[in-house]
Amino acid sequence: DVIMLRSDLSSFPEYKVGKDFPNALKLSSNEVPFPPAEDIIAAVADAARTTNRYQQPGSLELTNALCNYLDVPAENIFVSAGSTPILQATILASCQTGDEVIVPWRSFEAYPLYVRMAGAEPILVQLTEDYRVDLEAVLDALTDKTKLIILCNPNNPTGTVITRGEFRAFMDRVPKDVVVLLDEAYWEYNDAPDTPDSVEEYQRYPNLLGVRTFSKAWGLAGMRVGYAVAGPEIINALRLLSLPLTVTAMAETAAVEVLKRHDELDDAVEITKAQRDRVCTELGAEKSYGNFVWLPRADAAEVETKMLDEGVVIRRYLDEGVRVSITDEAETTQFLEAWRRAGIQPWRG
């Protein structure tokens, strides 16, 4: 047989997006439930008038808005079409074929896929028994082939965080030539009293980059906008290795407009956090710092099916557990009532 494509494609883990069923309550993709405000839609529609032309490279308007919002210089910000291209560019910038990338596991399902795309090897390091990122185990997994470490904080799907002290002690022990990517996709929901903030930490560690997105709390999942904060060496590498002109003028406009309304974002985030804590209390789950709750269960497949029968889509992770997205009070009540109707008992694994 003629081998036309890469021989290692069969080893690629497939990334599956959250399932969607018509007429069911979708709580599988950590989205926000409310549509964008009318004036944001109007601004995006206005930006659509120029789509016969290429947009300005570099997303300068959004970069400047982020400079003001984060109090970070423009040279330390890189804007991208969601956080995914930043993950991919970081792997390409740090790894060559055969290099290793350490990924605490379980975490965001796409990480191992992106690593394999670059011809590198994902090294999956188990979480602690209480589902936290095990920084000591990550350090133990370091070899001379390690080029990148990916940490998700809060960790998706388990909702756990690391402390600032743990993080700094860890970074002080990571070799200076190993890049550390801190994925803070759920940063806006993270109300832990003690946790690292990449906007502060990148100034201490030249090998660190923080990655955030407008897809979660900011409610622009369908627009695809994310950004990285890091030292100039990493930012320049991202610019070199990312596809140009991927952030559309419409997406940039939407992100600039929602940044002006961060007070409204804070109000919406507070609603979600209150419902998240409600679900944790009612179902006996561990505290989460994202807009989702992790329920470890070996009967995850059965739970997913029972909930679908009740008209609610949640996300199953093999036989390890299920993750339910938290939105507003009405949808949370609908979820809890469906959970009770399904007769799902507390799991004592």
Side-chain angles (χ1 to χ4, degrees):
D1 288 354
V2 176
I3 297 176
M4 182 172 61
L5 303 174
R6 284 173 56 166
S7 60
D8 62 346
L9 285 181
S10 61
S11 70
F12 280 34
E14 187 182 353
Y15 172 60
K16 297 182 176 69
V17 297
K19 293 177 182 176
D20 193 4
F21 292 87
N23 306 318
L25 172 60
K26 185 186 177 191
L27 299 177
S28 58
S29 294
N30 297 344
E31 300 154 328
V32 299
F34 40 84
E38 287 301 320
D39 50 354
I40 293 174
I41 294 171
V44 170
D46 196 47
R49 298 177 197 280
T50 64
T51 50
N52 57 310
R53 304 289 185 190
Y54 291 116
Q55 66 274 45
Q56 288 297 309
S59 305
L60 297 181
E61 190 183 355
L62 178 53
T63 299
N64 288 333
L66 285 166
C67 286
N68 294 328
Y69 179 67
L70 301 169
D71 194 21
V72 169
E75 67 183 27
N76 299 111
I77 295 173
F78 176 75
V79 172
S80 175
S83 57
T84 299
I86 298 172
L87 291 165
Q88 291 183 307
T90 304
I91 295 165
L92 287 171
S94 54
C95 295
Q96 295 177 313
T97 303
D99 287 337
E100 294 177 353
V101 178
I102 299 176
V103 179
W105 197 253
R106 172 168 296 278
S107 194
F108 179 42
E109 285 186 301
Y111 295 151
L113 172 61
Y114 300 152
V115 171
R116 289 208 180 276
M117 280 182 185
E121 187 73 25
I123 306 298
L124 305 184
V125 172
Q126 294 303 304
L127 301 177
T128 64
E129 286 189 11
D130 54 355
Y131 299 100
R132 298 178 74 235
V133 169
D134 191 337
L135 295 176
E136 203 62 43
V138 169
L139 291 168
D140 288 344
L142 284 165
T143 72
D144 56 4
K145 288 185 177 180
T146 306
K147 296 293 184 271
L148 175 67
I149 298 166
I150 302 175
L151 305 178
C152 191
N153 188 62
N155 186 48
N156 171 26
T158 61
T160 55
V161 291
I162 52 182
T163 69
R164 183 184 288 109
E166 288 171 337
F167 179 75
R168 288 184 178 173
F170 167 79
M171 289 299 296
D172 289 342
R173 292 168 63 192
V174 170
K176 299 294 179 273
D177 59 350
V178 173
V179 176
V180 177
L181 186 152
L182 189 61
D183 186 345
E184 296 175 318
Y186 300 94
W187 172 254
E188 291 78 14
Y189 297 104
N190 184 357
D191 55 355
D194 176 20
T195 198
D197 175 351
S198 64
V199 170
E200 292 177 14
E201 301 300 330
Y202 88 91
Q203 299 170 68
R204 297 173 67 101
Y205 303 106
N207 57 330
L208 174 70
L209 76 155
V211 183
R212 296 183 185 174
T213 184
F214 284 91
S215 296
K216 305 303 179 187
W218 295 95
L220 297 180
M223 278 290 177
R224 314 304 307 126
V225 194
Y227 60 94
V229 176
E233 185 179 355
I234 290 176
I235 295 297
N236 290 336
L238 294 178
R239 290 190 178 127
L240 184 66
L241 292 169
S242 294
L243 292 172
L245 304 177
T246 53
V247 181
T248 67
M250 291 175 289
E252 181 176 9
T253 297
V256 169
E257 289 298 318
V258 296
L259 275 174
K260 294 175 185 173
R261 295 164 176 76
H262 56 81
D263 291 346
E264 295 170 28
L265 167 100
D266 293 341
D267 293 342
V269 163
E270 287 305 318
I271 290 168
T272 296
K273 289 196 297 193
Q275 297 308 311
R276 173 193 71 192
D277 296 346
R278 171 189 173 197
V279 170
C280 289
T281 300
E282 293 201 23
L283 298 187
E286 293 297 321
K287 167 80 173 160
S288 171
Y289 294 96
N291 66 334
F292 51 87
V293 171
W294 171 245
L295 299 160
R297 306 184 65 99
D299 62 346
E302 185 184 341
V303 169
E304 180 188 43
T305 302
K306 283 182 175 179
M307 289 301 288
L308 191 54
D309 290 344
E310 297 295 339
V312 178
V313 188
I314 59 176
R315 184 148 190 165
R316 168 196 165 201
Y317 290 81
L318 302 178
D319 57 357
E320 296 164 43
V322 294
R323 186 196 71 192
V324 54
S325 304
I326 307 297
T327 55
D328 57 17
E329 185 175 6
E331 290 190 351
T332 301
T333 297
Q334 192 179 337
F335 160 72
L336 288 168
E337 288 175 352
W339 189 269
R340 293 187 195 98
R341 284 197 310 274
I344 299 168
Q345 298 301 310
W347 180 257
R348 297 286 176 259

